[in-house]
Amino acid sequence: ANSNSILNFSNRSTSSFERLVYKGMLEAVSSCEVEFPDSILIACSGGPDSTALLIAMVKAFPESRYIAGYFNHKIRDQADTTREAHFVSDIASKLGIEFATGDASNPIETEEQARIARYKWLAEVCAENAIRACVTGHHANDQAETAFFNLIRGSGAKGFSAMSSGTYWPIDLGGGTNHLRIMRPLLSVWQQDIHQYLNHHGIKALEDSTNEDTGLIRNRLRLDVIPNLKKINPGIEQHLVALASDIRSDDQYLYDLAKEWLGKQSDVIERESILDQQIVRIPRTRKAPIKTLAKPLFTRILQIIANELGLKLSRTQIDTAYSIRLRSGGTVSLTGGSISTDAKSFIVSAVKC
């Protein structure tokens, strides 16, 4: 496909797809509570999802500046990654947009290391080009897979709610990413529509051979588990996505209530810094009735405070903290901190890094 055929081709099906991307991007921007970005980095692997996203974004929002970013994790055959980089570069050239590529600087052995290396590089590209938004090709099938994956991992409501259309940067780089946002305009788009869109443009995107490796849990879910569940209920993916959306809405409502509660109690909640510790004290009295809080609200309040202090909480630790709020002398040990109660206060403390 040449430049003119990509940018100028249009039929009812492609226009419908681009309208979905247009709507999805506006929802992502609204979710992030930011202005529509003038410049956008599009993470593109050369696969169908990110390739369709790249084309549709340029056609749906032609006034924006784009960079197509390809990252080589250096865990696959060099011939494959070179071919992918050339493919993305070629599509970017035909669309008249910029292209950036980068390689992993350290050996990668796990999926999580790959994810961290990728987002670290994407953040660097954003910083070098004064970009505040990175768009990724996660779609509705990914959303169903993520919800199910988090469910079997034992995640709570936050995990089962899966991905939001717009969110903060997914890894912590020491405060350097506070202004960056991840946006996912395809979350309401199904994979079959993505393939159809590319077919209409005469583009055959590349397939990553590691996506067929059922030794990886997510691949096993996508290739084995979910297809078998569809034999029981053909609409399982749609139901997972709908349920994740409902849970995400409920979770956000509870977080908003938690922030409101903390705001109302701000005059009696004590925050102090002593030597190598940061401490938050909430009165266990009528002034701040933490004893009477329902568990869903208590959980979100505790998670907000823990996030402020840089602490991670497990479900068991939250359950224990909820039980000790009623009595003096309770303690929950955390990595890098603790939760405790005395006669007057519910106390969360963290060791300063």
Side-chain angles (χ1 to χ4, degrees):
N2 60 40
S3 175
N4 287 336
S5 69
I6 294 177
L7 288 173
N8 297 331
F9 178 82
S10 179
N11 61 26
R12 183 177 297 178
S13 178
T14 59
S15 295
S16 175
F17 184 90
E18 287 153 14
R19 283 195 296 273
L20 286 174
V21 173
Y22 182 90
K23 180 183 177 184
M25 185 61 183
L26 294 185
E27 288 175 357
V29 171
S30 175
S31 178
C32 289
E33 299 181 336
V34 295
E35 297 292 322
F36 194 94
D38 295 325
S39 299
I40 299 169
L41 172 63
I42 300 182
C44 190
S45 66
D49 316 328
S50 56
T51 300
L53 173 67
L54 184 63
I55 296 167
M57 282 291 296
V58 174
K59 294 179 74 173
F61 301 98
E63 302 302 317
S64 294
R65 172 202 174 201
Y66 296 97
I67 297 178
Y70 174 83
F71 183 70
N72 179 7
H73 300 91
K74 301 180 80 173
I75 55 177
R76 293 187 293 118
D77 185 77
Q78 185 176 345
D80 288 343
T81 55
T82 299
R83 183 165 57 100
E84 289 167 353
H86 286 165
F87 177 83
V88 177
S89 175
D90 183 55
I91 293 288
S93 176
K94 288 172 179 174
L95 292 171
I97 66 172
E98 300 168 59
F99 170 71
T101 184
D103 299 328
S105 55
N106 298 309
I108 289 174
E109 298 179 355
T110 67
E111 289 182 83
E112 182 61 15
Q113 288 175 348
R115 174 178 171 274
I116 291 171
R118 180 170 64 253
Y119 280 114
K120 183 175 183 294
W121 177 76
L122 290 169
E124 290 169 358
V125 176
C126 287
E128 291 165 4
N129 292 276
I131 292 175
R132 301 170 71 91
C134 176
V135 173
T136 68
H138 296 99
H139 49 72
N141 301 76
D142 292 326
Q143 185 76 316
E145 178 189 311
T146 299
F148 194 70
F149 175 70
N150 287 340
L151 174 66
I152 62 175
R153 252 191 349 172
S155 297
K158 193 74 172 176
F160 192 80
S161 66
M163 297 176 282
S164 60
S165 60
T167 188
Y168 291 99
W169 205 252
I171 65 169
D172 181 13
L173 295 174
T177 57
N178 291 345
H179 64 294
L180 298 180
R181 300 292 183 271
I182 289 288
M183 300 183 184
R184 306 180 180 106
L186 297 185
L187 277 189
S188 297
V189 178
W190 294 96
Q191 198 169 43
Q192 64 189 34
D193 299 317
I194 290 170
H195 287 289
Q196 185 180 51
Y197 181 74
L198 291 177
N199 288 339
H200 281 299
H201 281 91
I203 293 173
K204 183 173 177 57
L206 306 177
E207 295 288 350
D208 181 348
S209 59
T210 61
N211 288 337
E212 304 301 314
D213 179 6
T214 54
L216 301 174
I217 295 175
R218 293 191 69 126
N219 288 352
R220 202 180 316 154
L221 287 178
R222 184 175 67 256
L223 299 172
D224 295 337
V225 178
I226 291 178
N228 277 305
L229 288 174
K230 288 173 78 171
K231 294 176 183 177
I232 301 171
N233 182 349
I236 183 66
E237 289 175 299
Q238 289 84 352
H239 292 317
L240 284 168
V241 169
L243 181 57
S245 177
D246 290 344
I247 292 174
R248 190 163 52 253
S249 296
D250 292 348
D251 194 49
Q252 186 59 56
Y253 176 72
L254 287 167
Y255 265 103
D256 289 342
L257 285 180
K259 286 186 280 189
E260 182 181 331
W261 189 91
L262 286 166
K264 288 180 178 177
Q265 307 299 333
S266 60
D267 57 335
V268 294
I269 294 175
E270 298 177 8
R271 288 177 167 81
E272 55 185 324
S273 185
I274 302 174
L275 298 176
D276 64 341
Q277 283 192 316
Q278 290 177 285
I279 300 172
V280 177
R281 298 177 186 272
I282 303 176
R284 296 176 58 247
T285 63
R286 292 178 183 176
K287 290 183 179 179
I290 196 167
K291 289 183 179 181
T292 62
L293 287 174
K295 188 178 178 183
L297 187 54
F298 171 88
T299 297
R300 273 70 180 185
I301 290 168
L302 183 57
Q303 287 172 331
I304 290 171
I305 293 170
N307 287 339
E308 286 177 9
L309 299 178
L311 297 170
K312 301 290 185 183
L313 298 171
S314 70
R315 179 180 294 177
T316 300
Q317 289 166 335
I318 292 170
D319 289 345
T320 308
Y322 186 66
S323 68
I324 69 168
R325 84 196 192 287
L326 298 173
R327 58 185 172 84
S328 176
T331 303
V332 183
S333 295
L334 309 174
T335 301
S338 68
I339 299 170
S340 61
T341 56
D342 60 23
K344 295 182 178 180
S345 303
F346 180 91
I347 306 159
V348 185
S349 63
V351 178
K352 292 179 184 177
C353 297

